Amino acid sequence: MTATIPDVHNHAQSIVQRDDVGRAARRGISDEDWTRFEGYAREMLGAFGMDLATPGTEATPRRFIRALFDATDGYDGDPKLLTAFPTECHGGANCELAQVVEGPIPFFALCEHHALPFFGKAWIGYVAHEQIVGISKLTRLVRVVTRRFGVQERMTHGIADTLESMLHPHGVAVYLEAHHLCTEMRGVREHEPMTRTTAWRGTYAEEPSLRREFFDVSGIGGRR
């Protein structure tokens, strides 16, 4: 069974669009573009003080651009995300209470404000309705949403909204915690701060006890 994810046209409101999640084609960057980008990077890195004439740094501009491209491959989507299966729950009150919880799922992202990394772990929970997904799809979902330029708050809600659109479950819970190098390497230079964000949909938004159970089951209840 294939789930359909509705189109979302306002990228500022939703991090993931159907085409982004499911497409298999890589972003199209020509050889001429790569050469031009490498020239920009070489000029910038040299102006900032890097000696680009050593054996270890002469290829750094090319590696830098390629690394940024690889780190943002969430824009290339993941067609394997679009597969869902019939639920294993067949009636009764338990079908609106039984949770599927996965985590911690490690992730790495790039802040859209400074293009510096932030990284951490994600936990996802959902109460199935008519469809479920394989556990690996939850990891794939986190990766396709976070391996982009963005902000943690929007990514958290993007994961929740996409899973809700894919499965139409009774409820969705998402918790992310991350270290942001834009506050550790520059600016206020905080020492190991942790940013935590949540998103609740459906029964999780309505039932405080279900949210508490999500935190308890995931093992993060005492760390908030």
Side-chain angles (χ1 to χ4, degrees):
M1 182 179 298
T2 300
T4 300
I5 302 175
D7 287 311
V8 179
H9 300 291
N10 188 345
H11 183 73
Q13 296 299 320
S14 180
I15 187 70
V16 178
Q17 300 180 16
R18 180 178 62 189
D19 293 341
D20 291 328
V21 171
R23 70 184 181 192
R26 296 277 286 178
R27 290 162 288 173
I29 297 180
S30 67
D31 291 341
E32 292 78 9
D33 286 338
W34 283 119
T35 300
R36 182 161 50 88
F37 297 160
E38 182 178 336
Y40 295 153
R42 182 173 299 278
E43 181 179 359
M44 178 184 70
L45 294 173
F48 288 172
M50 180 180 288
D51 180 359
L52 294 168
T54 73
T57 61
E58 60 183 358
T60 295
R62 176 182 57 80
R63 289 192 293 258
F64 171 66
I65 294 300
R66 294 285 179 170
L68 274 180
F69 185 75
D70 290 343
T72 55
D73 63 5
Y75 291 115
D76 293 323
D78 187 341
K80 294 183 179 180
L81 272 178
L82 299 181
T83 303
F85 307 98
T87 182
E88 297 298 318
C89 191
H90 304 289
N94 189 55
C95 291
E96 297 185 13
L97 295 174
Q99 301 188 52
V100 177
V101 179
E102 177 70 4
I105 302 170
F107 72 88
F108 296 86
L110 290 172
C111 170
E112 67 181 29
H113 299 147
H114 303 96
L116 288 174
F118 62 96
F119 59 92
K121 300 174 182 177
W123 285 259
I124 300 177
Y126 72 95
V127 178
H129 182 36
E130 295 181 352
Q131 295 178 326
I132 59 173
V133 292
I135 295 299
S136 67
K137 302 301 187 293
L138 300 177
T139 298
R140 290 179 181 274
L141 174 58
V142 170
R143 288 177 178 171
V144 81
V145 172
T146 58
R147 290 180 66 83
R148 303 164 179 242
F149 295 103
V151 295
Q152 182 176 331
E153 297 90 335
R154 191 191 314 139
M155 290 178 175
T156 304
H157 287 281
I159 293 169
D161 291 341
T162 304
L163 187 59
E164 188 174 43
S165 297
M166 289 171 62
L167 300 181
H168 304 290
H170 292 296
V172 173
V174 180
Y175 171 83
L176 267 62
E177 60 181 34
H179 292 285
H180 291 247
L181 295 190
C182 60
T183 65
E184 297 186 42
M185 293 178 63
R186 55 160 300 283
V188 295
R189 290 180 168 82
E190 295 178 311
H191 179 65
E192 297 185 354
M194 182 74 76
T195 301
R196 298 172 173 87
T197 50
T198 60
W200 313 107
R201 301 290 184 272
T203 53
Y204 287 98
E206 300 163 0
E207 299 290 342
S209 61
L210 202 60
R211 297 196 294 271
R212 286 194 296 269
E213 183 182 328
F214 167 74
F215 282 121
D216 290 342
V217 169
S218 60
I220 54 180
R223 294 161 47 190
R224 290 174 288 152

